[in-house]
Amino acid sequence: MHCEFELAKNLYWIGGDDKRLGIFEGHHPVPKGMAYNNYLLLDEKAVLFDTIDRAVEERFLETLDYLLADRELDYIIVHHMEPDHSATLETVAKRNPAAKLVCTATCKKLIGQFFGPELEERTIVVKDGDSLETGTHTLAFALAPMVHWPEVMVTYDVEDKILFSADAFGSFGALDGRLFDDMYDFENELLDEMRRYYTNIVGKYGTQVNELLDKADTLDIEMVCPLHGPILRDHIADLAAKYRKWASYEPEDEAVVIAYASVYGGTRDVAEKLAFKLSDAGIHDLALFDLSMTDPSYVLSEAFRASNIVLASVTYNAGVFPKMNELVDCMVEHNLRRRRFSFIQNGSWGPIAGKKMMESIERIPEAQIVGDLFTIKSRMTDEQDAELEALAKSIIDSIRNPEEPVMADVHQLAPEPTPIVGATKPMAKPPAKVAVYNSAGIPVAPGMEGKVKIEEKEPEPVKEKAKTKVVQIWRCTFCGYQAEVLKGTDMDTYVCPVCLKSGPGQFILVREKEVPL
Ligand code: FEO
């Protein structure tokens, strides 16, 4: 069967929903499924904008055949090679042997990698600002590398003022027949999943998203056709404004996210008590997450929205609880900068989770630490109430006086792990040994004087200093990838393995360290 919707004259949506997916990209829960959009323009030339995921291939192909009737495709515009859009590219290309594949140079390489040289040879490579005449339409191309892969581009239909935005402006969730954003309550039905989609899919690449927004700002856009989620025609400016904030890592709201990792409830109880204190003081925009029950994609999304983040973790295997580790890594990888962080740790005998979380968060540029590290040993005691109150006050102050954030040195805040509870009393000193010497002045065991054969002692061999090397961490200014290389590596010619960029100034030095050979 065929299923299409005419968006404008001769322009059709021909996508589909996958309601059985469960986990998108093998990673992110999508309880409401996933929508895959693609589009067909039947101008003097027949142009397909992207193909589709295998899960919804059959109806897409039947719809394409139905709309093409006795025509063949002239062009397939490949905005993005990720298989949720390109898995069926080879199938469509083989059914339309005269069709040319229009894409970026990086995309051409990826087409070769995925499908071999035959398809690669059918490409027409376009650059930023190039355009294609299809009859009555002019399609202008703009590169959008790293939104979400390096080969991505977007297309602007000059006549219809439509932006085909690839992964940008997309959303998690199936359409369920509601194709346009004005068929939803934007704030209550769409925004949260659009934010979770943005933060988890392209949240790391704020610089590149801002570059795309700069390009979009020069266009008169009446409709945005993304590869996922509803088509935008009513909330384009609203979502673009949100994208600006997200891409700039600017919090949307003065709000608090408290995420806790607790095994038997001790850490949870402190997190909840802190939430009550904040709420009692008038901070009502707060969210509390049990990381054993909530996927990090949801917490990351809320963390992009909020100004303050409290991380509370039990110490586990002399480190951070795995669920918290996953969240912290996620925030560091996504460069969640310009946030205020506070920390709570629990450790029945050696609390260390707080220090380790702080060391990780310190890697995020512009991260502020608010308040002192709050430590409990197994359970919070009544005597610690004032200390928790002080942490709550620091968080509240940072929200109410955002111009004067409470800054702190994480190394000062994070004490060394304390000894096992119950062994903190200084241990009794062992009795002083009485030195006994033989006639040669050599110290010997008591009772052995005169019985020791004195030998010329070989001088202790001078211990060779452990051999080390110096490695450096360099950050790609384009995609944020961090390369660990030997000191002396020529970073002017080093090619970023993620975004494939290189050249002088492409990488900036983050730090260097000495490691054993
Ligand atoms: Fe929807 Fe990056 O693929």
Side-chain angles (χ1 to χ4, degrees):
M1 68 162 278
H2 60 91
C3 181
E4 69 282 343
F5 191 97
E6 191 166 11
L7 303 173
K9 188 165 179 259
N10 296 328
L11 177 69
Y12 300 88
W13 168 90
I14 53 171
D17 284 346
D18 183 358
K19 302 270 285 181
R20 295 186 175 182
L21 181 62
I23 301 287
F24 179 63
E25 292 186 350
H27 195 180
H28 310 296
V30 280
K32 293 179 182 169
M34 201 68 197
Y36 303 100
N37 299 326
N38 55 3
Y39 308 93
L40 178 68
L41 175 65
L42 294 177
D43 200 9
E44 288 170 26
K45 300 290 183 188
V47 183
L48 179 67
F49 298 86
D50 296 298
T51 53
I52 210 161
D53 191 87
R54 283 262 179 244
V56 284
E57 174 183 18
E58 187 178 340
R59 194 185 77 195
F60 155 70
L61 291 174
E62 287 180 16
T63 305
L64 184 60
D65 286 348
Y66 167 78
L67 290 172
L68 285 172
D70 54 357
R71 299 178 68 173
E72 257 196 39
L73 285 172
D74 295 286
Y75 299 107
I76 304 169
I77 295 179
V78 186
H79 290 116
H80 185 16
M81 268 302 290
E82 196 165 9
D84 53 335
H85 313 293
S86 71
T88 44
L89 177 60
E90 187 177 40
T91 307
V92 176
K94 282 186 171 166
R95 290 158 71 117
N96 295 269
K100 291 288 185 191
L101 279 50
V102 181
C103 64
T104 64
T106 310
C107 187
K108 177 180 175 166
K109 274 191 216 162
L110 291 178
I111 288 173
Q113 284 173 208
F114 274 102
F115 298 115
E118 197 182 322
L119 224 55
E120 189 179 347
E121 281 160 19
R122 285 176 57 184
T123 55
I124 298 174
V125 169
V126 292
K127 302 187 296 301
D128 217 20
D130 283 353
S131 59
L132 175 72
E133 302 294 332
T134 63
T136 61
H137 290 254
T138 303
L139 303 178
F141 305 110
L143 271 56
M146 302 319 297
V147 189
H148 151 223
W149 279 16
E151 85 293 3
V152 170
M153 67 172 188
V154 300
T155 300
Y156 179 63
D157 182 329
V158 177
E159 278 66 37
D160 282 349
K161 300 179 179 173
I162 294 175
L163 179 70
F164 297 91
S165 62
D167 270 346
F169 301 110
S171 180
F172 290 137
L175 294 175
D176 293 347
R178 291 191 286 172
L179 188 55
F180 295 99
D181 61 340
D182 49 28
M183 297 170 174
Y184 301 76
D185 178 333
F186 180 75
E187 288 283 338
N188 295 311
E189 285 187 287
L190 285 182
L191 188 54
D192 283 350
E193 283 298 77
M194 285 178 156
R195 184 189 298 107
R196 189 166 72 91
Y197 169 87
Y198 170 87
T199 53
N200 286 279
I201 303 299
V202 289
K204 177 180 176 61
Y205 302 108
T207 306
Q208 294 82 356
V209 172
N210 263 326
E211 285 171 6
L212 175 60
L213 292 171
D214 290 343
K215 290 177 184 177
D217 277 350
T218 65
L219 303 171
D220 179 11
I221 299 171
E222 291 185 354
M223 192 184 289
V224 175
C225 293
L227 287 172
H228 302 286
I231 291 165
L232 301 162
R233 60 183 179 188
D234 192 34
H235 293 281
I236 297 172
D238 296 333
L239 190 57
K242 291 290 183 191
Y243 261 58
R244 274 290 181 202
K245 275 191 187 281
W246 300 336
S248 307
Y249 303 97
E250 188 184 327
E252 287 170 69
D253 301 302
E254 291 291 341
V256 183
V257 167
I258 304 174
Y260 65 82
S262 184
V263 178
Y264 293 109
T267 312
R268 173 205 61 204
D269 290 347
V270 181
E272 280 188 16
K273 191 158 187 167
L274 177 65
F276 276 107
K277 286 181 184 297
L278 294 172
S279 179
D280 189 41
I283 306 294
H284 297 150
D285 192 348
L286 62 88
L288 193 66
F289 292 104
D290 179 345
L291 295 180
S292 295
M293 300 302 291
T294 307
D295 184 81
S297 67
Y298 291 91
V299 188
L300 181 72
S301 181
E302 273 295 279
F304 261 73
R305 185 182 71 79
S307 57
N308 286 61
I309 298 157
V310 181
L311 301 175
S313 179
V314 66
T315 298
Y316 194 83
N317 284 338
V320 181
F321 193 72
K323 297 283 185 184
M324 177 60 80
N325 250 339
E326 191 180 1
L327 175 66
V328 169
D329 285 350
C330 188
M331 290 193 294
V332 173
E333 285 163 10
H334 284 78
N335 283 321
L336 184 59
R337 59 189 71 187
R338 303 174 72 179
R339 293 299 184 281
R340 308 181 198 112
F341 290 90
S342 305
F343 299 90
I344 295 167
Q345 66 173 350
N346 186 0
S348 291
W349 57 93
I352 189 70
K355 181 181 180 190
K356 290 194 178 279
M357 287 190 290
M358 291 161 110
E359 284 172 351
S360 297
I361 293 297
E362 190 191 26
R363 288 157 53 204
I364 304 176
E366 301 172 83
Q368 297 173 9
I369 309 296
V370 170
D372 291 339
L373 172 62
F374 185 84
T375 300
I376 62 165
K377 291 173 180 168
S378 309
R379 288 284 185 271
M380 181 179 162
T381 63
D382 290 347
E383 291 71 40
Q384 290 186 289
D385 204 56
E387 196 187 337
L388 189 64
E389 191 75 39
L391 177 59
K393 185 173 182 316
S394 297
I395 294 168
I396 294 161
D397 286 349
S398 76
I399 290 172
R400 297 207 171 131
N401 306 297
E403 298 306 314
E404 297 166 29
V406 181
M407 298 292 290
D409 178 345
V410 294
H411 298 295
Q412 293 289 325
L413 285 166
E416 288 302 313
T418 50
I420 295 173
V421 178
T424 51
K425 200 166 67 167
M427 290 173 69
K429 280 188 184 164
K433 281 186 186 159
V434 179
V436 178
Y437 300 89
N438 67 12
S439 56
I442 306 293
V444 295
M448 292 298 288
E449 308 90 327
K451 299 178 186 171
V452 179
K453 189 178 167 195
I454 302 168
E455 289 173 357
E456 282 270 332
K457 264 186 111 180
E458 288 288 323
E460 286 275 315
V462 179
K463 271 194 185 160
E464 208 176 308
K465 193 169 174 274
K467 288 200 171 112
T468 60
K469 62 182 177 182
V470 177
V471 296
Q472 294 181 323
I473 316 292
W474 292 77
R475 189 200 304 272
C476 175
T477 55
F478 191 74
C479 69
Y481 173 77
Q482 293 202 348
E484 186 168 320
V485 298
L486 270 180
K487 187 175 182 176
T489 301
D490 180 4
M491 297 308 288
D492 283 355
T493 57
Y494 188 90
V495 179
C496 176
V498 175
C499 68
L500 310 177
K501 298 264 179 192
S502 65
Q506 185 63 40
F507 283 84
I508 52 170
L509 181 62
V510 178
R511 64 182 176 277
E512 66 179 34
K513 59 187 178 184
E514 207 169 314
V515 298
L517 268 180

